[in-house]
Amino acid sequence: DADVTQTPRNRITKTGKRIMLECSQTKGHDRMYWYRQDPGLGLRLIYYSFDVKDINKGEISDGYSVSRQAQAKFSLSLESAIPNQTALYFCATSSTKFPKGRTDTQYFGPGTRLTVL
Amino acid sequence: GESVGLHLPTLSVQEGDNSIINCAYSNSASDYFIWYKQESGKGPQFIIDIRSNMDKRQGQRVTVLLNKTVKHLSLQIAATQPGDSAVYFCAENSGGSNYKLTFGKGTLLTVNP
């Protein structure tokens, strides 16, 4: 979805390096999410944010941190990258403010392929 | 914990045939379901959704069926085309106020010309 962008699209780094993945959205959504996707494991939630001041851990938050700089921006950091963090990372957004009421549909960015050597 | 699962990891069909992709869920509290399509190298793309107060919903060439009695969800694609080749996975929202989704692992659909 072009309304959700992620940078970089690909990144190769070394063990121990600090890495930041960025996500921006123009959908006006209040909620944002970070997932990782590994073959055979599906999408797993790392962190989610319901608004700028509300950040929550997901099921696999260890080794990661996030920052919600503005409603439209949500970044994911790997403090000290390790090889088992090699994966596809997706940002997603959703909204609680549609005119029709609550919607749980999440819209995804194109992903970042991260390789940790 | 409860999770969404899929019956078949792969499905191969001929172009023009109808495709049916299945999904089982175990959380009876789930009240919202989504089907996503993920093409190689891309992010998941929303296809269609359905709430638990419905048992069928139709879109363009796609239909989602929900059977709450047996906790089963299916995605039907009519007149499957090569461009439909992708991984399809379902997601459920288990209700409550947090609106988090639980995703299935996906089914790879291959359309043969």
Side-chain angles (χ1 to χ4, degrees), chain A residues 6-25:
Chain A
Q6 293 183 233
T7 56
R9 294 295 313 279
N10 289 282
R11 181 71 184 269
I12 300 173
T13 191
K14 295 181 179 180
T15 298
K17 295 291 186 181
R18 185 177 188 274
I19 299 299
M20 178 179 288
L21 309 182
E22 298 186 350
C23 177
S24 294
Q25 52 112 347

Side-chain angles (χ1 to χ4, degrees), chain B residues 16-90:
Chain B
D17 287 351
N18 296 332
S19 302
I20 300 176
I21 301 171
N22 297 301
C23 180
Y25 66 96
S26 56
N27 188 345
S28 58
S30 294
D31 63 356
Y32 179 66
F33 304 88
I34 308 171
W35 278 102
Y36 285 94
K37 172 186 180 182
Q38 187 175 18
E39 297 176 88
S40 181
K42 297 184 178 180
Q45 177 186 3
F46 170 84
I47 301 174
I48 192 168
D49 60 0
I50 189 168
R51 293 209 177 272
S52 59
N53 60 351
M54 302 172 67
D55 54 16
K56 180 179 181 178
R57 191 167 187 212
Q58 288 184 294
Q60 188 175 18
R61 282 201 306 119
V62 295
T63 301
V64 56
L65 299 178
L66 175 62
N67 186 330
K68 295 180 289 294
T69 302
V70 295
K71 299 186 183 68
H72 184 267
L73 189 71
S74 68
L75 176 70
Q76 299 179 0
I77 305 174
T80 313
Q81 303 168 1
D84 294 327
S85 294
V87 174
Y88 291 81
F89 54 90
C90 59

Side-chain angles (χ1 to χ4, degrees), chain A residues 9 31 33 35 37 40-43 45 48 50 88 90 96 102-110, chain B residues 31-32 34 36 38 41-44 46 49 51 89 93 95-101 103-105:
Chain A
R9 294 295 313 279
R31 298 185 168 194
Y33 310 78
Y35 293 91
Q37 187 178 47
L41 294 179
L43 286 161
L45 183 63
Y48 61 103
F50 285 171
L88 268 173
F90 289 102
T96 60
R102 164 187 157 188
T103 177
D104 305 314
T105 303
Q106 292 183 18
Y107 296 90
F108 286 80
Chain B
D31 63 356
Y32 179 66
I34 308 171
Y36 285 94
Q38 187 175 18
K42 297 184 178 180
F46 170 84
D49 60 0
R51 293 209 177 272
F89 54 90
N93 180 285
S97 62
N98 57 10
Y99 309 152
K100 290 187 294 179
L101 296 177
F103 294 87
K105 294 179 175 57

